Amino acid sequence: MKAQQFVVIGLGRFGSSLALELMSMGYEVLGIDHQEERVEDMTGQLTHAVMADATDEGIMRSLGVRNFDCGIVAIGDNMERSILAAILLKELGVKQVVGKAISILHGRALSKLGVDRVIFPERDMGIRVAHQLVTPNLLDYIEISKDYKVVELAVPACMNGRSLAELNTRAKYGCSIIALNRGDGIIVAPTAHDYVQQGDIMVVIGSNESIEEFEDEAVNVEG
């Protein structure tokens, strides 16, 4: 099966980090930037790294960008160039176009252009850090809708050795533990007879309110 191919436009901190992570996952990545220094830094680390103007249709056609599965516009210092690059990717027929937005207005513009997904790295990281600061056991979370999320919670000492039947999170709080991650592996869809241990990571799904109630209970009992 052919490996998915990604083109990343803009090799600043976010773009280069994203491109390198995709490479480590086994995908093919073409990196494009108009700054020679950035391209030189990525040469040899990506499948291809090219210094080019991503708003020039002729150049983008010659690079075969239309054949890529996904194009990520990671330009963070020039809204106009970001928008023009996104328009070009859409016009060239790239299957999926993702755009990094540096402001709400920028995000709206990208959405109106038909960009498939708009991301706000700085805003999202700020939100994630805020949640982690106020909830000591929270390791990470994914918002799946306005009202529901999936979170990773470290098992506190007060829950050590308790079974999922004892915790009974669905009945008590309205959220469910859908996986347990521990040193020797991952338990997917654990049963009521599985036990949690301090140091495990619980993957929990539920409404914002139900998960917050579960988090608060764990903190209060532990405290």
Side-chain angles (χ1 to χ4, degrees):
M1 187 175 178
K2 182 185 174 185
Q4 247 188 309
Q5 296 180 313
F6 294 82
V7 55
V8 178
I9 299 172
L11 298 174
R13 284 176 295 180
F14 173 73
S16 59
S17 175
L18 174 64
L20 289 172
E21 184 64 20
L22 288 169
M23 285 292 296
S24 74
M25 296 166 70
Y27 298 110
E28 296 180 11
V29 181
L30 166 63
I32 300 174
D33 200 289
H34 68 290
Q35 293 188 28
E36 184 177 5
E37 185 179 349
R38 290 179 176 179
V39 174
E40 287 178 351
D41 287 343
M42 289 293 105
T43 299
Q45 299 191 71
L46 306 181
T47 310
H48 299 289
V50 179
M51 185 176 73
D53 180 358
T55 66
D56 186 311
E57 183 175 351
I59 292 174
M60 296 297 274
R61 284 189 182 277
S62 69
L63 290 172
V65 168
R66 64 184 178 278
N67 299 315
F68 282 73
D69 300 291
C70 179
I72 301 104
V73 181
I75 298 171
D77 56 355
N78 189 309
M79 190 184 302
E80 182 182 357
R81 289 178 63 83
S82 166
I83 290 171
L84 291 174
I87 291 173
L88 194 49
L89 290 181
K90 294 296 291 185
E91 289 182 345
L92 290 174
V94 175
K95 296 173 188 175
Q96 183 183 25
V97 178
V98 177
K100 171 192 172 182
I102 56 178
S103 67
I104 296 298
L105 182 61
H106 186 193
R108 285 178 186 164
L110 291 172
S111 295
K112 289 183 182 297
L113 293 171
V115 168
D116 300 287
R117 183 178 178 188
V118 178
I119 53 178
F120 297 82
E122 288 85 0
R123 182 199 67 180
D124 293 345
M125 180 54 70
I127 292 171
R128 180 172 281 108
V129 170
H131 280 270
Q132 291 170 338
L133 288 173
V134 299
T135 310
N137 294 319
L138 179 66
L139 303 177
D140 203 356
Y141 83 103
I142 301 171
E143 191 176 77
I144 54 178
S145 76
K146 187 179 73 173
D147 301 313
Y148 289 85
K149 61 186 175 182
V150 177
V151 302
E152 289 186 345
L153 293 171
V155 173
C158 63
M159 292 184 183
N160 186 45
R162 298 178 67 183
S163 69
L164 297 194
E166 289 178 84
L167 295 177
N168 202 11
T169 58
R170 184 187 292 271
K172 290 181 179 177
Y173 312 103
C175 57
S176 300
I177 298 173
I178 57 175
L180 290 172
N181 190 348
R182 56 177 52 134
D184 56 357
I186 299 175
I187 302 172
V188 179
T191 70
H193 303 293
D194 284 305
Y195 288 79
V196 297
Q197 303 170 3
Q198 188 175 9
D200 286 354
I201 297 171
M202 302 178 287
V203 182
V204 186
I205 187 170
S207 67
N208 297 335
E209 292 78 11
S210 65
I211 290 179
E212 285 167 12
E213 187 179 350
F214 179 45
E215 292 169 347
D216 290 342
E217 181 71 14
V219 171
N220 291 334
V221 170
E222 192 170 29

